[in-house]
Amino acid sequence: MTDQIDRAGAFQLGGVNLISYSSFDGDGTPNRLDIRDLLVEFNIYEDINSPFLSGDLTLIDGTNAIQELPITGFERLEFFFRSPNTDKGFDFSVKSGHPMFVYALENRKGGNPRSQVYTLKFISLEAIRDNQTRVSQAFSGSIDQMVTDICYNYLKTKKDVLVEETKGVHKFVIPRVKPTNAIRYLRRNCRSLSYENSGMLFYENAHGFQFKSYEGLFCNKDGTPRPIKANYTPKIKNTGEDDTYNLQSVEDFKVLSQFNTLQNTAHGVYASRLITHDLYNKTFATHDFDYNLEYPKQNHLEQDAKGDKLDNIGILPFFNYDKGETFGSKNEGVLFLQSETAKVHNTHELPQSKDILQKRVSQHLAINSLVIEITVPGNTEINIGDIVHFAMPKYSEETKEDINDQDTYLTGRYLISAARHQVSSVSKRHTLVLELIKDSFNVAYPEEIVDLWTNNEDDTGSAYSATEMDEYLT
């Protein structure tokens, strides 16, 4: 069945088949059951913090398909889904794509005496293999090569794997852990070859598996910003405007988190101290991290009009906080301890944690401090890892000077960190819920040299004895 292209949110969806592990009369052809007519709604979930695609289908079943196939939790799910007039979509078909694995049946209940409602949950087949396999191997070379090796030899994927090249030649002995745990360890201990950052993301979207850094998502190898895939703005829909206008209309949005200074201070976004120990050379070393000093070294979502770096538009404003110190100089608040013993693998040195650990922690938490969720008409050309522009309303009186009427700080480029493709067979509509994150602003926060904090509160508090106070009050 193909839905017509008549509005924003239209979609194309073919047959939806459950493929059994058993064959019909033992002839070698697996049993297949088309559940397209039973389908009420389905969701596909993407997340840059999750290694696998997943989803669910809600069915109204008057044919007792659970018993007919039967549905046992060992089925493959086959369908092809995309937006009209696009080449990109989710191909879970046997011939041209990669079927998903149905792993759970939930919320089963009777609708009426002759029908029932239930939800089938599905996930990439590699997620099943991840729980059946252990990596027990010594790897040497670049970390991106190791990740590729694990994807094809342990997860046994047949999908594309897009990897960003990493610095250095290292050796790791992976001690019998799940493939995704091995990848998690490797990606947390590597640096991009092209950027001055640390740590990588490993996730799956409609195009396959991705092993990339935040900076690799923000910009090209030469530092120029990656193009914006869509410009989303809250506006009136269905006004006779063109398809692009309606597709980029924001139906609903909310700021899930704008900042959390306590969390960022407690976990090392602004400042931290790393103490390393080299058992071979019997030495200790101390390395301090200051957000304001490190920020200009990396590429960020927002740049200047020429695409060059700006060094003062981060989430931490520069100001005199405590007797000449800043938030970035309070290093002792977060303490990391790390072994960096030399000669563990003879000629292969371990990655330098002083160049990795503190940067990785700060960058990951900083970009996830500002999170906005928007609901827009569905479009399968939009995926996690893409850059979009979101115009945040100003929520104040309109002025002639501000012709855009937008929030100065929150309007700008965002990275899509999570996506939910929600498709309803009832309303025949594809809706896309996006989670957007951001690590910088178009306009810098104000800077302040004068110390407005020190000795700027009542200092007459004193310590009292609780026992003496009790005696005094009685």
CSV table of all heavy atoms in Angstrom, one decimal, residues 74-98:
chain,number,residue,atom,x,y,z
A,74,PHE,N,10.9,-14.8,18.1
A,74,PHE,CA,12.0,-15.2,17.3
A,74,PHE,C,11.7,-14.9,15.8
A,74,PHE,O,12.2,-15.6,14.9
A,74,PHE,CB,12.4,-16.6,17.5
A,74,PHE,CG,12.8,-17.0,18.9
A,74,PHE,CD1,11.8,-17.5,19.8
A,74,PHE,CD2,14.0,-16.7,19.4
A,74,PHE,CE1,12.1,-17.8,21.1
A,74,PHE,CE2,14.4,-17.0,20.7
A,74,PHE,CZ,13.4,-17.6,21.6
A,75,GLU,N,11.0,-13.8,15.6
A,75,GLU,CA,10.6,-13.5,14.2
A,75,GLU,C,11.5,-12.3,13.7
A,75,GLU,O,12.0,-11.5,14.5
A,75,GLU,CB,9.1,-13.0,14.1
A,75,GLU,CG,8.1,-14.2,14.3
A,75,GLU,CD,8.1,-14.7,15.7
A,75,GLU,OE1,8.1,-13.8,16.6
A,75,GLU,OE2,8.0,-15.9,15.9
A,76,ARG,N,11.6,-12.2,12.4
A,76,ARG,CA,12.2,-11.1,11.7
A,76,ARG,C,11.0,-10.2,11.2
A,76,ARG,O,9.9,-10.7,10.9
A,76,ARG,CB,13.1,-11.5,10.6
A,76,ARG,CG,14.4,-12.0,11.0
A,76,ARG,CD,15.2,-12.5,9.8
A,76,ARG,NE,14.6,-13.6,9.2
A,76,ARG,CZ,14.8,-14.0,7.9
A,76,ARG,NH1,15.7,-13.4,7.2
A,76,ARG,NH2,14.2,-15.1,7.4
A,77,LEU,N,11.2,-8.9,11.2
A,77,LEU,CA,10.2,-8.0,10.8
A,77,LEU,C,10.7,-7.3,9.5
A,77,LEU,O,11.8,-6.8,9.4
A,77,LEU,CB,10.0,-6.9,11.8
A,77,LEU,CG,9.0,-5.8,11.4
A,77,LEU,CD1,7.6,-6.3,11.2
A,77,LEU,CD2,9.0,-4.7,12.5
A,78,GLU,N,9.8,-7.3,8.5
A,78,GLU,CA,10.2,-6.8,7.2
A,78,GLU,C,9.2,-5.7,6.7
A,78,GLU,O,8.0,-5.9,6.7
A,78,GLU,CB,10.2,-7.9,6.1
A,78,GLU,CG,10.5,-7.5,4.7
A,78,GLU,CD,10.3,-8.6,3.7
A,78,GLU,OE1,9.3,-9.3,3.8
A,78,GLU,OE2,11.2,-8.7,2.8
A,79,PHE,N,9.8,-4.5,6.4
A,79,PHE,CA,9.0,-3.5,5.7
A,79,PHE,C,9.9,-2.4,5.2
A,79,PHE,O,11.1,-2.3,5.6
A,79,PHE,CB,7.9,-2.9,6.6
A,79,PHE,CG,8.3,-2.1,7.8
A,79,PHE,CD1,8.6,-0.7,7.7
A,79,PHE,CD2,8.5,-2.7,9.1
A,79,PHE,CE1,9.0,0.0,8.8
A,79,PHE,CE2,8.9,-2.0,10.2
A,79,PHE,CZ,9.1,-0.6,10.0
A,80,PHE,N,9.4,-1.6,4.3
A,80,PHE,CA,10.1,-0.5,3.8
A,80,PHE,C,9.3,0.8,4.0
A,80,PHE,O,8.1,0.8,3.7
A,80,PHE,CB,10.4,-0.7,2.3
A,80,PHE,CG,11.1,0.5,1.7
A,80,PHE,CD1,12.5,0.5,1.8
A,80,PHE,CD2,10.5,1.5,1.0
A,80,PHE,CE1,13.2,1.6,1.3
A,80,PHE,CE2,11.2,2.6,0.5
A,80,PHE,CZ,12.6,2.6,0.6
A,81,PHE,N,9.9,1.8,4.5
A,81,PHE,CA,9.2,3.0,4.9
A,81,PHE,C,10.0,4.3,4.6
A,81,PHE,O,11.2,4.3,4.9
A,81,PHE,CB,8.9,3.0,6.4
A,81,PHE,CG,8.6,4.3,7.1
A,81,PHE,CD1,7.5,5.1,6.7
A,81,PHE,CD2,9.5,4.8,8.0
A,81,PHE,CE1,7.3,6.3,7.3
A,81,PHE,CE2,9.3,6.0,8.6
A,81,PHE,CZ,8.2,6.8,8.2
A,82,ARG,N,9.4,5.2,3.9
A,82,ARG,CA,10.1,6.5,3.6
A,82,ARG,C,9.1,7.6,3.3
A,82,ARG,O,7.9,7.3,3.1
A,82,ARG,CB,11.0,6.3,2.4
A,82,ARG,CG,10.2,6.1,1.0
A,82,ARG,CD,11.2,5.9,-0.1
A,82,ARG,NE,10.5,5.7,-1.4
A,82,ARG,CZ,11.1,5.3,-2.5
A,82,ARG,NH1,12.4,5.2,-2.5
A,82,ARG,NH2,10.4,5.1,-3.6
A,83,SER,N,9.6,8.8,3.2
A,83,SER,CA,8.8,9.9,2.8
A,83,SER,C,8.7,10.0,1.3
A,83,SER,O,9.6,9.6,0.6
A,83,SER,CB,9.4,11.2,3.4
A,83,SER,OG,9.4,11.2,4.8
A,84,PRO,N,7.6,10.5,0.8
A,84,PRO,CA,7.5,10.6,-0.7
A,84,PRO,C,8.5,11.5,-1.3
A,84,PRO,O,9.0,12.4,-0.7
A,84,PRO,CB,6.1,11.2,-0.9
A,84,PRO,CG,5.3,10.8,0.4
A,84,PRO,CD,6.3,10.9,1.5
A,85,ASN,N,8.9,11.2,-2.5
A,85,ASN,CA,9.9,12.0,-3.3
A,85,ASN,C,11.2,12.0,-2.6
A,85,ASN,O,12.0,13.0,-2.8
A,85,ASN,CB,9.3,13.4,-3.5
A,85,ASN,CG,8.1,13.5,-4.4
A,85,ASN,OD1,8.0,12.6,-5.3
A,85,ASN,ND2,7.3,14.5,-4.2
A,86,THR,N,11.6,11.0,-1.8
A,86,THR,CA,12.9,11.0,-1.3
A,86,THR,C,13.5,9.6,-1.6
A,86,THR,O,12.8,8.6,-1.8
A,86,THR,CB,12.8,11.1,0.3
A,86,THR,OG1,12.1,10.0,0.8
A,86,THR,CG2,12.2,12.4,0.7
A,87,ASP,N,14.8,9.6,-1.6
A,87,ASP,CA,15.6,8.3,-1.8
A,87,ASP,C,15.9,7.7,-0.5
A,87,ASP,O,16.4,6.5,-0.5
A,87,ASP,CB,16.8,8.6,-2.6
A,87,ASP,CG,16.5,9.1,-4.0
A,87,ASP,OD1,15.5,8.7,-4.6
A,87,ASP,OD2,17.3,10.0,-4.5
A,88,LYS,N,15.8,8.4,0.6
A,88,LYS,CA,16.3,7.9,1.9
A,88,LYS,C,15.1,7.5,2.8
A,88,LYS,O,14.1,8.1,2.8
A,88,LYS,CB,17.1,8.9,2.6
A,88,LYS,CG,18.4,9.3,1.9
A,88,LYS,CD,19.1,10.4,2.7
A,88,LYS,CE,20.4,10.8,1.9
A,88,LYS,NZ,21.1,11.9,2.6
A,89,GLY,N,15.2,6.3,3.4
A,89,GLY,CA,14.2,5.8,4.3
A,89,GLY,C,14.7,4.7,5.1
A,89,GLY,O,15.9,4.4,5.2
A,90,PHE,N,13.8,3.9,5.7
A,90,PHE,CA,14.2,2.8,6.5
A,90,PHE,C,13.9,1.5,5.7
A,90,PHE,O,12.7,1.2,5.5
A,90,PHE,CB,13.5,2.8,7.8
A,90,PHE,CG,13.9,3.9,8.7
A,90,PHE,CD1,13.2,5.2,8.7
A,90,PHE,CD2,14.9,3.8,9.6
A,90,PHE,CE1,13.6,6.2,9.5
A,90,PHE,CE2,15.3,4.8,10.4
A,90,PHE,CZ,14.7,6.0,10.4
A,91,ASP,N,14.9,0.8,5.3
A,91,ASP,CA,14.7,-0.4,4.5
A,91,ASP,C,15.0,-1.6,5.3
A,91,ASP,O,16.1,-2.0,5.6
A,91,ASP,CB,15.6,-0.4,3.3
A,91,ASP,CG,15.3,-1.5,2.3
A,91,ASP,OD1,14.5,-2.3,2.6
A,91,ASP,OD2,16.0,-1.5,1.2
A,92,PHE,N,13.9,-2.2,5.8
A,92,PHE,CA,14.0,-3.5,6.6
A,92,PHE,C,13.6,-4.7,5.8
A,92,PHE,O,13.2,-5.7,6.3
A,92,PHE,CB,13.1,-3.3,7.9
A,92,PHE,CG,13.5,-2.2,8.7
A,92,PHE,CD1,12.5,-1.4,9.4
A,92,PHE,CD2,14.8,-1.8,9.0
A,92,PHE,CE1,12.8,-0.4,10.2
A,92,PHE,CE2,15.1,-0.7,9.8
A,92,PHE,CZ,14.1,0.0,10.4
A,93,SER,N,13.6,-4.5,4.5
A,93,SER,CA,13.2,-5.6,3.6
A,93,SER,C,14.3,-6.7,3.4
A,93,SER,O,15.5,-6.4,3.6
A,93,SER,CB,12.8,-5.1,2.2
A,93,SER,OG,13.9,-4.5,1.6
A,94,VAL,N,14.0,-7.9,3.1
A,94,VAL,CA,14.9,-9.0,2.9
A,94,VAL,C,15.8,-8.8,1.7
A,94,VAL,O,17.1,-8.9,1.8
A,94,VAL,CB,14.2,-10.3,2.8
A,94,VAL,CG1,15.2,-11.4,2.4
A,94,VAL,CG2,13.5,-10.7,4.1
A,95,LYS,N,15.3,-8.4,0.6
A,95,LYS,CA,16.0,-8.3,-0.7
A,95,LYS,C,17.0,-7.1,-0.7
A,95,LYS,O,18.1,-7.2,-1.2
A,95,LYS,CB,15.1,-8.3,-1.9
A,95,LYS,CG,14.3,-9.6,-2.1
A,95,LYS,CD,13.4,-9.5,-3.3
A,95,LYS,CE,12.7,-10.8,-3.5
A,95,LYS,NZ,11.8,-10.7,-4.7
A,96,SER,N,16.6,-6.0,-0.2
A,96,SER,CA,17.4,-4.8,-0.4
A,96,SER,C,17.8,-4.1,0.9
A,96,SER,O,18.5,-3.1,0.9
A,96,SER,CB,16.6,-3.7,-1.2
A,96,SER,OG,15.4,-3.4,-0.6
A,97,GLY,N,17.4,-4.7,2.0
A,97,GLY,CA,17.7,-4.0,3.3
A,97,GLY,C,18.1,-5.0,4.4
A,97,GLY,O,18.7,-6.1,4.1
A,98,HIS,N,17.7,-4.7,5.6
A,98,HIS,CA,18.1,-5.5,6.7
A,98,HIS,C,16.9,-5.7,7.7
A,98,HIS,O,16.6,-4.7,8.4
A,98,HIS,CB,19.3,-4.9,7.5
A,98,HIS,CG,20.4,-4.5,6.5
A,98,HIS,ND1,21.4,-5.4,6.1
A,98,HIS,CD2,20.7,-3.4,5.9
A,98,HIS,CE1,22.2,-4.9,5.3
A,98,HIS,NE2,21.9,-3.6,5.2
